[in-house]
Amino acid sequence: MALHVRMVAFLVLSCVVVGLGLGFVIGYLAFRNTGHWMKSSGDIEHVVDETVSRRLLAEINPQNIKEHLRFLTSRPHLSGTEGDRRVVGYIHDHWMGVGLDPVKKFPYKVLLSSPDINHPSFIELHGGNGGHRDRVLYRTQLYEKILREEQNQSDVVPPFNVYSKPGVVQGKLVYVNYGRFEDFEYLKKKKKVQIDGTICIARYGKLFRANKVFQAQTYGCAGLILYTDPADYAVAGTDTVYPYSWWLPGTGVQRGTLKKSSGGLGDPLTPIYPSIESAYRISESDAELPEIPVHPIGYGDARELLSGMAGEEVPEKWRGMLNITYRTGPGHVNRDRYVKMNISTHSYLGTIENVVGFIEGAVEPDRYVIIGNHHDAWVFGAVDPSSGTAVMLELARAFAKLVSEGWRPRRTVVFCAWGAEEQGIIGSREWVEQFGHLLSDRVVAYLNVDMGVQGRHALRARALPMLKQLIFDVAKRVPNPDDEEMKKGRKTVYDTWALRYSEKYPNNTATGKPRVPVLGSGSDFAPFVGGIGVTSVDLRFHYDESLGISSYPLYHSVYETFHLYKTFIDPQFKFSAALGQLWGELALRLADQAVLPFRVEDYGHAVEGYFGEVETRFGRLFSEKNVSLDYFRSAVKSFSLSCERFQQRANGIDPTKQILVRQVNDQMMQLERTFIDPPGLPNRPAIRHVLFAPSTMDSYTGISFPSLADSLFDFEHANNETKAHRWEEVKKQLSIATFFVQAASASLSPPTHF
């Protein structure tokens, strides 16, 4: 019996040994055949292989970027049109050709918006003349004037604002400056101007156009006209404008969406959920869309409407550069004059596509570094977005070239070309909604470029705190594309950036580092930050902000062409190449370094600063209301200390201990997720980040502790009947903010010490 047992044990042990041996051989062959044993510069070493970095920087070719841009801008490519499908095909085929594998298209059927080509929108000035009250005195242009031959294409759509309510409305004209909350408050409460039922006219600039529409609706405007004033888009004067300079001519018009990005955006008919084939769609009447007609015009047309207005002369800060006397209204000196809006914009269900290409990681293929840019444009889109698209196409080729030469990143690099960003950040939002659970587990960082180069003054980066130091380090490695700056001894992108966009201490002295504002909205990073808590950055080369302009002057107009870019923006494509080097180097270090190069301690310092801002501005109010900030203060101090301690542990980690490296990396990656509140922010369920969100007053601007900030704003502007209720909301949001900071501290603790 004992002999029999020993024989059975021997046979079992032999089978186990043979099985293990076969498993090792099969596993080895499987990994070898899939390329997972190829060298990754982060496979063993703690830092990136510098030879790989140098090869990537050297591979970026400005001539290739130029030729990509030439193709991308050769035809209009508005969302959902044949021109945009042509661009999608170009991107897909290029990525397949250079070796990304796989390359996929993700289609979504979404609500898009378009003008009626056969009956374009227009605005009329009516008035009496010899007893004929309904005589048309002036009608705005239907299309922008053609100034160069390449603009004369049949698929150029007339100027419009996406999702404007169609219809015909009329009324007296009221000038509302930039259409901000404070502008409407000034007119209504201080000047007692009658706004309800009027047609309001606001100049572009200072805040996102959709927020202007929201304010106009709130204050009772029957319709809203948006125009570009020379004070914001032709500050050098209206005599020398495009095509002789980059300044906007009077016939240029800025198109744009009216969907509020502070609410999360995406397809209006499938809020929170992806617009896939099986999706349930709400009715258009139930969607959060503008309730009034809205239309954009150029300053040539605006001058005719604003001339001869009645009412008081506006304050100096409200005056633009038109050769008129700016007055509030309502109406004109000639009392029988009024404005009539004829808006034909309509919505329809159309198909958009995201193009996504992969370079699979050798060690951690389930960890993604995502590089993204959108591919749709209002017309030719030379700056927005094609200057970024052209760079991304070249960057994909450069990475693929390194792979073909035997290198492979430690983590997977994902290239994403998003659809329908201009209509309301739709493509990226739908993708995040569809794959949110997967992406939340796997995405290390999202690196966004929208308009790659909109000026040659300096780099501009907006980012979440953990990425700031990495951006600084990478910018110090990229040669300065500005020859004049090089002659002055500023050899890198960082040098000019730190000089021209200097960060300031509270006492207004320079820190010696560049300024890196937090992210708001306005581009495809928004769903990654606000939806699933992914550490993100948005990069571009920027114009000189001392010019006082609201954007590059030809923004979203028919004049944003290849000629504009090559003649006035980046003639040698050197800044475009430098952007590619910076973007690529960021991706390389995040994809290839064993321990993620996040600076966690910077997060702690940032939150201390945000708390300080709350305390400075509202500390007295909380004290008067007998509400203590002690719990909040303690949570912030504890979080900062936890960040410092974690950073010390991460700095001392042995990169050869792969399980420990993975654990520390996951803690860093998930730190941003700890600020995600599943129900979303109050009245903004699609935005869930309790620390960073776009302002409800201006979606372009990011604010910290957004729900607390919003509740305090509402309290300050509440009437006596609602003050008590508003203050209860402030206390609630203070409690929520405190809890999430405490939770973030716990997430950085060792596994059994939270």
Side-chain angles (χ1 to χ4, degrees):
M1 183 69 175
L3 179 62
H4 176 70
V5 170
R6 286 196 296 270
M7 286 293 293
V8 170
F10 174 77
L11 289 171
V12 170
L13 181 61
S14 299
C15 290
V16 169
V17 171
V18 171
L20 287 173
L22 285 171
F24 177 81
V25 172
I26 293 169
Y28 171 78
L29 292 173
F31 271 104
R32 188 179 66 176
N33 290 339
T34 58
H36 287 174
W37 284 93
M38 296 178 70
K39 178 172 175 57
S40 159
S41 60
D43 196 357
I44 299 174
E45 294 89 346
H46 187 52
V47 296
V48 167
D49 184 341
E50 293 304 325
T51 61
V52 175
S53 171
R54 287 193 294 270
R55 286 159 58 199
L56 179 64
L57 293 176
E59 191 61 36
I60 303 297
N61 187 331
Q63 186 63 30
N64 291 343
I65 298 172
K66 176 181 176 181
E67 293 310 314
H68 285 311
L69 188 66
R70 191 191 303 276
F71 175 86
L72 294 168
T73 57
S74 60
R75 282 181 56 187
H77 44 290
L78 182 68
S79 307
T81 65
E82 182 58 38
D84 194 38
R85 287 188 285 273
R86 173 175 170 264
V87 167
V88 165
Y90 181 82
I91 295 169
H92 178 273
D93 292 349
H94 174 74
W95 285 352
M96 289 286 290
V98 300
L100 299 194
D101 184 23
V103 180
K104 301 181 178 182
K105 295 180 184 178
F106 293 88
Y108 300 99
K109 183 172 284 189
V110 301
L111 188 72
L112 299 175
S113 181
S114 175
D116 186 335
I117 304 301
N118 297 318
H119 302 92
S121 301
F122 60 89
I123 298 166
E124 293 174 333
L125 177 64
H126 286 241
N129 185 8
H132 299 286
R133 175 175 171 77
D134 287 330
R135 181 171 178 267
V136 177
L137 303 177
Y138 184 78
R139 177 177 289 178
T140 59
Q141 62 182 10
L142 301 180
Y143 285 84
E144 293 156 289
K145 182 180 179 181
I146 300 301
L147 300 179
R148 284 179 53 87
E149 183 58 33
E150 68 268 17
Q151 302 154 12
N152 189 18
Q153 298 193 32
S154 61
D155 45 357
V156 172
V157 299
F160 75 112
N161 285 124
V162 165
Y163 302 126
S164 167
K165 182 178 180 179
V168 178
V169 293
Q170 63 186 47
K172 297 292 185 179
L173 193 65
V174 173
Y175 174 62
V176 297
N177 195 23
Y178 289 109
R180 299 168 294 189
F181 170 80
E182 57 265 35
D183 295 331
F184 280 100
E185 286 286 284
Y186 172 82
L187 288 170
K188 183 176 181 179
K189 294 185 177 179
K190 188 170 183 178
K191 293 302 178 180
K192 310 300 181 184
V193 173
Q194 173 64 35
I195 299 174
D196 192 56
T198 64
I199 304 296
C200 292
I201 182 168
R203 50 177 170 159
Y204 271 121
K206 303 301 182 185
L207 74 163
F208 183 45
R209 70 188 73 80
N211 296 99
K212 301 173 189 280
V213 177
F214 176 77
Q215 297 298 340
Q217 292 175 176
T218 302
Y219 285 87
C221 300
L224 179 65
I225 302 167
L226 298 171
Y227 84 98
T228 44
D229 197 285
D232 303 290
Y233 295 90
V235 299
T238 59
D239 294 332
T240 306
V241 294
Y242 189 78
Y244 307 107
S245 74
W246 80 325
W247 298 112
L248 183 73
T251 54
V253 183
Q254 180 189 134
R255 298 152 178 82
T257 187
L258 304 180
K259 186 78 166 64
K260 280 182 68 179
S261 57
S262 60
L265 291 183
D267 176 26
L269 303 186
T270 60
I272 309 299
Y273 299 100
S275 52
I276 55 180
E277 289 186 4
S278 59
Y280 171 79
R281 290 174 171 81
I282 63 175
S283 67
E284 192 173 334
S285 61
D286 291 331
E288 294 184 10
L289 296 173
E291 300 169 3
I292 59 175
V294 184
H295 190 61
I297 61 174
Y299 60 80
D301 284 335
R303 180 172 49 243
E304 300 300 322
L305 301 180
L306 292 167
S307 294
M309 284 187 67
E312 290 187 25
E313 190 171 345
V314 301
E316 185 176 353
K317 289 184 178 180
W318 282 44
R319 300 170 194 167
M321 285 177 53
L322 293 173
N323 188 24
I324 62 169
T325 299
Y326 288 79
R327 295 184 180 277
T328 61
H332 292 74
V333 174
N334 188 332
R335 293 183 179 181
D336 60 1
R337 291 190 176 182
Y338 65 95
V339 169
K340 187 175 184 180
M341 301 179 68
N342 297 261
I343 308 305
S344 63
T345 302
H346 66 282
S347 299
Y348 67 97
L349 280 177
T351 299
I352 64 167
E353 290 181 302
N354 299 330
V355 189
V356 181
F358 297 82
I359 296 176
E360 187 174 349
V363 179
E364 299 180 84
D366 63 336
R367 291 293 179 262
Y368 306 153
V369 175
I370 301 182
I371 294 169
N373 162 270
H374 70 93
H375 57 71
D376 62 304
W378 289 108
V379 194
F380 302 104
V383 177
D384 182 9
S386 300
S387 63
T389 313
V391 173
M392 184 169 67
L393 289 167
E394 172 63 0
L395 186 57
R397 185 200 64 79
F399 267 103
K401 177 82 177 301
L402 293 178
V403 172
S404 71
E405 294 172 347
W407 169 86
R408 185 169 288 273
R410 178 186 181 93
R411 304 177 185 94
T412 296
V413 178
V414 186
F415 293 87
C416 298
W418 308 114
E421 187 271 355
E422 296 291 7
Q423 301 244 349
I425 314 181
I426 296 179
S428 57
R429 178 79 206 183
E430 299 310 308
W431 198 68
V432 168
E433 288 175 347
Q434 183 176 7
F435 300 107
H437 292 293
L438 178 151
L439 297 172
S440 182
D441 287 339
R442 299 181 183 181
V443 179
V444 170
Y446 176 69
L447 314 179
N448 189 71
V449 168
D450 193 315
M451 17 189 135
V453 182
Q454 60 177 5
R456 301 194 301 274
H457 187 64
L459 178 69
R460 191 194 81 168
R462 295 182 294 163
L464 299 190
M466 286 195 295
L467 276 176
K468 282 178 63 174
Q469 187 59 49
L470 177 62
I471 301 167
F472 295 160
D473 293 342
V474 167
K476 291 174 182 177
R477 296 181 55 82
V478 178
N480 201 325
D482 189 326
D483 293 336
E484 292 303 313
E485 286 291 285
M486 290 282 275
K487 292 175 183 177
K488 295 174 183 177
R490 291 186 278 274
K491 303 295 185 183
T492 70
V493 165
Y494 180 88
D495 296 331
T496 299
W497 182 27
L499 175 71
R500 293 181 172 173
Y501 290 127
S502 178
E503 181 183 59
K504 304 290 185 182
Y505 288 117
N507 63 6
N508 207 37
T509 59
T511 67
K513 296 180 179 180
R515 183 175 76 248
V516 182
V518 299
L519 293 163
S521 187
S523 194
D524 292 297
F525 55 78
F528 287 92
V529 176
I532 57 175
V534 171
T535 301
S536 302
V537 62
D538 181 63
L539 302 167
R540 67 186 60 173
F541 276 100
H542 203 41
Y543 52 76
D544 185 354
E545 292 182 351
S546 69
L547 292 170
I549 57 179
S550 296
S551 70
Y552 63 92
L554 299 177
Y555 177 60
H556 290 182
S557 75
V558 75
Y559 308 128
E560 195 183 316
T561 61
F562 182 80
H563 171 264
L564 164 73
Y565 196 83
K566 187 178 184 303
T567 307
F568 300 111
I569 304 292
D570 189 15
Q572 296 178 297
F573 287 79
K574 293 175 65 175
F575 286 80
S576 304
L579 178 72
Q581 292 173 323
L582 180 72
W583 202 2
E585 187 72 7
L586 272 174
L588 176 64
R589 291 179 185 275
L590 287 162
D592 227 17
Q593 195 161 310
V595 179
L596 289 172
F598 289 145
R599 185 86 161 259
V600 176
E601 62 184 317
D602 285 350
Y603 214 139
H605 299 155
V607 172
E608 284 185 306
Y610 305 147
F611 170 78
E613 293 171 4
V614 172
E615 189 172 38
T616 298
R617 184 173 176 186
F618 298 106
R620 183 175 178 180
L621 174 62
F622 281 108
S623 180
E624 290 172 351
K625 291 286 187 178
N626 200 30
V627 173
S628 174
L629 292 176
D630 288 348
Y631 287 122
F632 195 16
R633 182 183 297 104
S634 175
V636 168
K637 288 183 178 179
S638 176
F639 176 67
S640 183
L641 183 60
S642 296
C643 289
E644 291 176 2
R645 289 173 175 169
F646 181 90
Q647 191 71 61
Q648 291 171 359
R649 293 199 303 273
N651 290 345
I653 195 172
D654 182 350
T656 64
K657 295 182 177 180
Q658 295 293 319
I659 299 299
L660 185 58
V661 167
R662 177 83 165 198
Q663 174 194 313
V664 168
N665 284 345
D666 282 356
Q667 283 183 280
M668 287 192 281
M669 191 177 77
Q670 292 296 327
L671 175 59
E672 206 71 65
R673 273 66 144 184
T674 62
F675 289 104
I676 291 295
D677 192 0
L681 305 188
N683 302 314
R684 297 197 278 174
I687 296 182
R688 304 189 298 159
H689 203 301
V690 301
L691 189 53
F692 301 116
S695 165
T696 54
M697 294 292 106
D698 176 17
S699 299
Y700 284 146
T701 303
I703 57 173
S704 55
F705 296 115
S707 295
L708 180 59
D710 288 344
S711 65
L712 285 163
F713 178 89
D714 291 341
F715 171 79
E716 288 183 320
H717 294 88
N719 56 39
N720 291 332
E721 289 76 18
T722 61
K723 278 277 186 184
H725 171 71
R726 294 297 187 188
W727 185 249
E728 288 301 308
E729 184 64 23
V730 170
K731 293 194 304 184
K732 177 182 177 181
Q733 295 307 322
L734 176 63
S735 171
I736 291 172
T738 301
F739 162 71
F740 273 94
V741 175
Q742 292 170 338
S745 295
S747 76
L748 294 173
S749 302
T752 59
H753 290 77
F754 61 90

